[in-house]
Structures are given as C-alpha cells and as structure tokens.
Amino acid sequence: MSTPSILILAGDGIGPEAMEEVKKIMAWFDDNRGLKFDISEDLVGGAAYDAHGTPLTDETMAKAQDVDAVLLGAVGGPAYDDLDFSVKPERGLLRLRKEMDLFANLRPAQCFDALADFSSLKKELVSGLDIMIVRELTSGSYFGEPRGIFEENGERVGVNTQRYTESEIDRVARSAFELARKRDNRLCSVEKANVMESGILWREVVTKIGAEDYPDVELSHMYADNCAMQLVRTPKQFDVIVTDNLFGDILSDCAAMLTGSLGMLPSASLGVPMANGMPKAMYEPVHGSAPDIAGQGKANPSATILSFAMALRYSYGQGAEADRLEAAVEKVLADGTRTADLMQVGDGTPASTSEMGDAIIAALTASL
Ligand code: IPM
Ligand code: MG
C-alpha cells in the first residue's frame, strides 16, 4: 500500500500557527505509531490571493483532487474585505467543496466536561451534549442558479436560488442515516416545508429513504426556525441533524456555541468514495481565521488537531488512533491546560498555541 497522502492548506489568520501543532502531532504518530503521511503544503484564501491573485490556483485544486485528504486551516481576514467577490478568500474554500463534490459536512457539537461552564447556557443543559450536524455542502442557495445582481424595472435585484435535486437530498440523507446508526440511532431532518418547495421535496425524499432503508433509525422532522429555538432550549434532545447548506451553516454555528468553545470544534466534509474505498475528504476547524489574535501564539490549535483526528477516522481507517488523539485533547483540558479562549478573567496565565500542542503530545505519549 502506498503512503497515505495529505494536502495541508493552512490559509490565513490563525490557520498557519494552528497547523504547526498538527504537524508536530503528525510527526508524533510517525515516530510512535508508525503512521507515515506523504505531506504536501500549499496556499489557499488570502494567502493564495497575495501570491497568485486568486484564492485557489488550478494547480492547488488539482492537488486537492489527487490526495487522500485535505486539511484546511482557515481563510479570510479584514485585509481582503474589499476584494471583488470573485476572488475573496471564501471563494477558494467554496471551490474546493464544490469541485471535490464534498456533499456531506459533518459538524459535531460536543461539550467537553471540563468546559461546560463556558457555555452561554446553564451547565445542566449542555454537559454531556453530543450532537452531529450533517450539513449538505455543495448545493442549495450557496450554488443555485440563477444567481447575481441584475437590473430590473430601473432598480437592482439580488438573486440567489434555493435548489435541490432528489439525488442531492438522497445522498446526504443516506450519510446522515448511516451516522445515526453508529450513534444513538436518531435522526432529525430540518427544512422549512411549510414555506419552501425545496423543503417539501427534502422531507418527502428523507421520509422515503427512512421507511425503505433505515426503518431502525428513529426519524423526526423539524422546521429550521423551530430547530434553532430547540437547540438553545433543550439541545440534548438531538442526536444527528441533517439539513441543507444554508440552514446547516446557521444551525451549526448555533450548536457550536452551545459547547462554549468554538476553538474546540472540528469538521469533516466528505464526498463519494475514491478508488481506495475512502471518501474524498477535506477536514477543517469550525472556527474562522480569527485575525484579531493571529500571529500572537494565542490561538487554540485543538479544533485543527481534532480535525486531523477526524481525518484519521474517516480517511485513513485509523479509528483507534483517532480515539487516542481525542482522548489526549480531553485529558489536557481536564488537567487544566487552557488557551486564552478557554479561560475567564482571573484564571491565571493561558497556555500558548505551542504549549497547548506540546501538552497534547505529552498526553499522547502518556497513552502508550
Ligand atoms: C462555514 C463558513 C463558510 C460558509 C464561509 C467561510 C464561506 O461560514 O464553513 O460555515 O458559509 O459555509
Ligand atoms: Mg458558517
């Protein structure tokens, strides 16, 4: 078997410094677990724009198509706010998602016990919280045509189109049903079938798949506005949520904040299986580029590290090593090592980005 490959696209803001810690952890797995990776690195987002005038070159896109997995840091920053829409950093990310056809975006919202006090909700509502949001990532209003800003009757009109085909709904729903089976066997499908035809079709397709192929999974349906409300009312009622691109964008931010620690949350974006049977995949933290703290060694690298753990599980068939890495992160938190985002006023001196990485490596070593 050839050495598994990974393309690192660290991107902008805190992306590169968080990625340095992942590279240390990859070296640890090489030294201690015999896990070798063929690592390549390239630019995305503002960094790619600065070097090449585009947020993602065709060469980088081709490399991304060719590797076993992409690990992305973050894109964007105030320096790029005034760029033309077509070359904004975010366009690089959206191009990767679309051209790699990464239709199933897995966003776990898990509340680490040691951090339950950081939630904006009462501790008892969130402790033990473990939700998985499966967000459709390659269609819906993010990509639907027609789109644009047009002249009409002497004024401009901004247009985006919410559009889903049956097959697009089918494939993301199946991913969600499969995941539910590996968890608590409950799936909540979220749309607005009360006002949108795309929502009516969504509900029909999900219901049919559930009845025909996943009768063992407990399926429920919820309107997206109600789901937002339920997430902040009693979040633990959910196991797996499956929803469209835009609702998933919004609901996953909401769910993430329930855990009190945006700096802790990874994500996986999965596509169709490649020749080796593993899905095409990109992994990235849920948080953004945090330009306000970039370059200061303050960033929490955990979300990027946990994204690599998801890569171990979903792209490299190394579930046990993924468990090991996740447990190491959890142990570091429980032992009290915290970056600034996980501390309150008066809590003492925060760990730096590299100290957090080192602590995770020490916990890994202790796990041997
Ligand atoms: C996300 C982000 C992106 C999105 C942006 C950066 C394009 O908010 O991954 O949730 O809207 O999908
Ligand atoms: Mg978002």
Side-chain angles (χ1 to χ4, degrees), residues 236-290:
K236 283 192 257 181
Q237 70 182 282
F238 296 105
D239 178 25
V240 179
I241 291 174
V242 63
T243 189
D244 76 14
N245 204 342
L246 183 58
F247 293 144
D249 179 43
I250 298 165
L251 295 173
S252 64
D253 262 34
C254 180
M257 205 53 227
L258 296 177
T259 71
S261 46
L262 209 47
M264 298 301 304
L265 297 175
S267 80
S269 303
L270 307 177
V272 295
M274 301 182 290
N276 66 3
M278 294 311 215
K280 206 156 241 199
M282 178 163 74
Y283 300 86
E284 58 182 305
V286 168
H287 65 66
S289 61

Side-chain angles (χ1 to χ4, degrees), residues 93 97 101-108 131-138 142 171-173 175-176 179 240-253 266-271 280-286 307 310 314:
L93 179 58
R97 290 175 179 172
D101 201 20
L102 304 173
F103 60 87
N105 179 218
L106 279 44
R107 298 195 162 184
I131 301 176
M132 178 70 88
I133 296 189
V134 181
R135 167 188 175 192
E136 200 292 326
L137 202 59
T138 53
Y142 271 57
R171 63 184 189 170
V172 73
S175 304
L179 263 170
V240 179
I241 291 174
V242 63
T243 189
D244 76 14
N245 204 342
L246 183 58
F247 293 144
D249 179 43
I250 298 165
L251 295 173
S252 64
D253 262 34
S267 80
S269 303
L270 307 177
K280 206 156 241 199
M282 178 163 74
Y283 300 86
E284 58 182 305
V286 168
S307 298
M310 288 186 96
Y314 295 115

Side-chain angles (χ1 to χ4, degrees), residues 71-94:
L71 186 64
L72 188 130
V75 297
Y80 310 104
D81 280 352
D82 295 329
L83 286 184
D84 186 71
F85 182 73
S86 63
V87 288
K88 276 194 186 299
E90 291 78 6
R91 302 310 302 169
L93 179 58
L94 292 168

Side-chain angles (χ1 to χ4, degrees), residues 108-360:
Q110 200 193 342
C111 186
F112 292 86
D113 271 350
L115 300 177
D117 281 328
F118 281 86
S119 176
S120 45
L121 295 191
K122 294 191 211 81
K123 187 171 181 168
E124 62 268 25
L125 288 179
V126 296
S127 72
L129 180 76
D130 182 6
I131 301 176
M132 178 70 88
I133 296 189
V134 181
R135 167 188 175 192
E136 200 292 326
L137 202 59
T138 53
S139 186
S141 54
Y142 271 57
F143 297 98
E145 299 282 347
R147 67 182 298 169
I149 300 178
F150 306 105
E151 277 291 317
E152 208 177 277
N153 302 325
E155 63 172 347
R156 292 185 305 156
V157 45
V159 177
N160 290 92
T161 302
Q162 165 78 336
R163 180 179 191 278
Y164 271 103
T165 63
E166 288 182 286
S167 54
E168 285 169 341
I169 302 167
D170 183 283
R171 63 184 189 170
V172 73
R174 285 182 194 280
S175 304
F177 275 114
E178 292 291 336
L179 263 170
R181 272 190 178 158
K182 295 192 189 119
R183 295 171 44 101
D184 200 31
N185 224 22
R186 292 180 295 122
L187 177 63
C188 179
S189 170
V190 172
E191 27 60 10
K192 273 186 71 73
N194 50 344
V195 289
M196 298 167 78
E197 285 79 359
S198 58
I200 294 175
L201 184 66
W202 183 284
R203 189 176 287 215
E204 266 180 40
V205 172
V206 175
T207 304
K208 183 161 178 280
I209 299 170
E212 285 175 0
D213 295 332
Y214 299 91
D216 53 306
V217 177
E218 185 187 314
L219 174 65
S220 60
H221 304 274
M222 207 179 263
Y223 298 141
D225 51 346
N226 184 28
C227 181
M229 189 267 274
Q230 297 295 338
L231 272 172
V232 292
R233 194 179 74 104
T234 42
K236 283 192 257 181
Q237 70 182 282
F238 296 105
D239 178 25
V240 179
I241 291 174
V242 63
T243 189
D244 76 14
N245 204 342
L246 183 58
F247 293 144
D249 179 43
I250 298 165
L251 295 173
S252 64
D253 262 34
C254 180
M257 205 53 227
L258 296 177
T259 71
S261 46
L262 209 47
M264 298 301 304
L265 297 175
S267 80
S269 303
L270 307 177
V272 295
M274 301 182 290
N276 66 3
M278 294 311 215
K280 206 156 241 199
M282 178 163 74
Y283 300 86
E284 58 182 305
V286 168
H287 65 66
S289 61
D292 52 321
I293 57 161
Q296 300 168 36
K298 289 184 184 166
N300 183 354
S302 302
T304 314
I305 290 169
L306 291 170
S307 298
F308 175 62
M310 288 186 96
L312 287 173
R313 177 172 297 115
Y314 295 115
S315 284
Y316 302 114
Q318 296 288 345
E321 300 303 329
D323 290 346
R324 179 193 298 280
L325 180 50
E326 286 164 356
V329 173
E330 197 152 2
K331 174 161 190 304
V332 166
L333 290 178
D335 289 351
T337 305
R338 304 280 163 90
T339 41
D341 56 307
L342 306 178
M343 298 185 84
Q344 276 150 349
V345 180
D347 270 356
T349 317
S352 68
T353 308
S354 65
E355 284 165 349
M356 190 74 181
D358 292 341
I360 293 169

